[in-house]
């Protein structure tokens, strides 16, 4: 059977159209399966630069949130330790009151109780978070507190401290850097340690005046440590507020990116359906030109 040149040209043209339509159907089906309009940025055309910028911003925002959350956990760890130290200050007041009222009857157990309190304070000030000592300044690899005998030589004595005075900071967002933390040589801690040492000395001398003075020091320590906790709480609250804003920004960026990147499934399915009908019609037309059935053509 002879084939006219016109028929051959028409057949080639239809074959090219069929392949293009088949590719179009496959591409649309791929966007439905992946949920994305394209598998690469180039496929988004003029929206590509906007999508890239949104991805970068979202990644940076996620990094801020993650780091802020870590700092919040450190502050929570520090607050728990300070609560323990504040409790010791309150317990010292109670212990001294009992010593003053009972006289020599509880003098023998007094020193043991104070020693246990000093151990508790030392353990709290040597608290770690994720392997680092939180009250050591920047020297987080070594315990910052080691008591001698006596633990303190009086108010203002911080010879027990082995850390440094450099506080940590976190870049909480694009515009905000927050310095945070407390070192174990803080005057509030030093005053409590001095009060504990003074209480032992007063117990040894039996001086009620010295016991009263140690009690007054411990009372001041309760207030000062509460102030430290409040200040640390303000910092934690600031980070929480910033993180709330960052999380809202992340959602906003994600929604913008989704609008640009994500496949509209209903539209895509309608397009696949329409293109499939057109493809079937094209196959039928092609089979008539070539005097072949659609099944034969597809083999």
């Amino acid at each position: 059977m002879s084939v006219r040149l016109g028929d051959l040209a028409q057949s080639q043209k239809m074959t090219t159209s069929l392949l293009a339509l088949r590719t179009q159907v496959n591409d649309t089906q791929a966007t439905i399966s992946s949920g994305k309009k394209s598998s690469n940025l180039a496929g988004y055309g003029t929206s590509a630069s906007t999508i890239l910028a949104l991805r970068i911003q979202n990644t940076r925002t996620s990094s801020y949130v993650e780091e802020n959350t870590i700092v919040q956990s450190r502050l929570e760890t520090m607050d728990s330790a300070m609560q323990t130290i504040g409790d010791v200050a309150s317990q010292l007041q109670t212990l001294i009151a009992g010593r003053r009222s009972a006289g020599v009857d509880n003098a023998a157990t007094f020193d043991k109780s104070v020693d246990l309190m000093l151990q508790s304070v030392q353990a709290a000030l040597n608290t770690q978070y994720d392997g680092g000592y939180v009250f050591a300044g920047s020297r987080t690899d070594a315990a910052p507190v080691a008591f001698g005998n006596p633990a303190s030589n009086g108010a203002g004595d911080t010879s027990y401290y082995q850390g440094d005075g450099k506080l940590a900071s976190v870049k909480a967002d694009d515009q905000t850097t927050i310095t945070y933390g407390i070192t174990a040589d803080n005057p509030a801690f030093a005053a409590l340690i001095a009060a504990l040492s003074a209480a032992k000395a007063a117990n040894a001398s039996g001086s009620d005046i010295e016991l009263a003075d140690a009690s007054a020091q411990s009372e001041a320590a309760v207030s000062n440590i509460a102030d430290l906790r409040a200040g640390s709480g303000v910092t934690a609250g600031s980070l929480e507020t910033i993180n709330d804003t960052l999380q809202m920004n992340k959602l906003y960026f994600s929604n913008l990116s989704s609008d640009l990147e994500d496949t509209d499934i209903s539209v895509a399915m309608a397009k696949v359906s329409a293109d499939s009908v057109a493809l079937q019609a094209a196959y039928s037309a092609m089979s008539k030109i070539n005097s072949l059935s659609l099944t034969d053509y597809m083999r």
Side-chain angles (χ1 to χ4, degrees), residues 87-132:
D87 289 344
V88 168
S90 297
Q91 291 163 12
L92 179 59
Q93 285 184 278
T94 302
L95 182 67
I96 292 174
R99 172 68 175 85
R100 294 178 70 190
S101 63
V104 296
D105 290 343
N106 72 342
T109 60
F110 187 92
D111 277 1
K112 291 182 180 179
S113 296
V114 172
D115 285 339
L116 288 174
M117 291 179 186
L118 282 167
Q119 290 174 21
S120 181
V121 170
Q122 180 172 333
L125 291 176
N126 285 336
T127 293
Q128 291 179 279
Y129 173 81
D130 196 26

Side-chain angles (χ1 to χ4, degrees), residues 49-100:
S49 59
T50 302
I51 291 171
L52 180 59
L54 287 170
R55 288 179 181 177
I56 292 172
Q57 184 62 49
N58 219 7
T59 298
R60 183 163 64 245
T61 301
S62 295
S63 179
Y64 285 141
V65 170
E66 182 179 356
E67 187 60 30
N68 291 344
T69 301
I70 291 172
V71 173
Q72 285 179 294
S73 295
R74 286 179 183 153
L75 290 172
E76 288 172 3
T77 299
M78 295 177 77
D79 184 70
S80 179
M82 287 190 287
Q83 181 176 357
T84 296
I85 296 169
D87 289 344
V88 168
S90 297
Q91 291 163 12
L92 179 59
Q93 285 184 278
T94 302
L95 182 67
I96 292 174
R99 172 68 175 85
R100 294 178 70 190

Side-chain angles (χ1 to χ4, degrees), residues 110-235:
F110 187 92
D111 277 1
K112 291 182 180 179
S113 296
V114 172
D115 285 339
L116 288 174
M117 291 179 186
L118 282 167
Q119 290 174 21
S120 181
V121 170
Q122 180 172 333
L125 291 176
N126 285 336
T127 293
Q128 291 179 279
Y129 173 81
D130 196 26
Y133 292 93
V134 297
F135 292 105
S138 66
R139 297 180 61 183
T140 59
D141 59 340
V145 173
F147 290 144
N149 188 20
S152 173
N153 292 311
D157 178 21
T158 58
S159 58
Y160 61 84
Y161 184 58
Q162 312 298 311
D164 62 26
K166 186 176 181 180
L167 297 180
S169 64
V170 59
K171 187 170 176 58
D173 60 23
D174 287 342
Q175 290 82 36
T176 310
T177 298
I178 294 177
T179 299
Y180 69 94
I182 301 166
T183 53
D185 63 343
N186 185 279
F189 301 142
L192 174 59
I193 295 165
L196 287 162
S197 295
K200 286 189 70 173
N203 181 54
S205 68
S207 170
D208 187 67
I209 293 176
E210 291 179 9
L211 284 169
D213 183 60
S215 180
Q217 291 180 56
S218 64
E219 182 178 3
V222 170
S223 176
N224 292 336
I225 292 167
D227 289 343
L228 284 184
R229 293 184 66 193
S232 184
V234 169
T235 301

Side-chain angles (χ1 to χ4, degrees), residues 212-261:
D213 183 60
S215 180
Q217 291 180 56
S218 64
E219 182 178 3
V222 170
S223 176
N224 292 336
I225 292 167
D227 289 343
L228 284 184
R229 293 184 66 193
S232 184
V234 169
T235 301
S238 296
L239 285 170
E240 183 175 3
T241 298
I242 290 172
N243 259 9
D244 287 344
T245 300
L246 290 171
Q247 292 285 16
M248 287 189 292
N249 289 345
K250 276 187 65 179
L251 180 60
Y252 175 70
F253 296 141
S254 294
N255 287 340
L256 284 180
S257 184
S258 178
D259 289 342
L260 294 172
E261 294 185 60

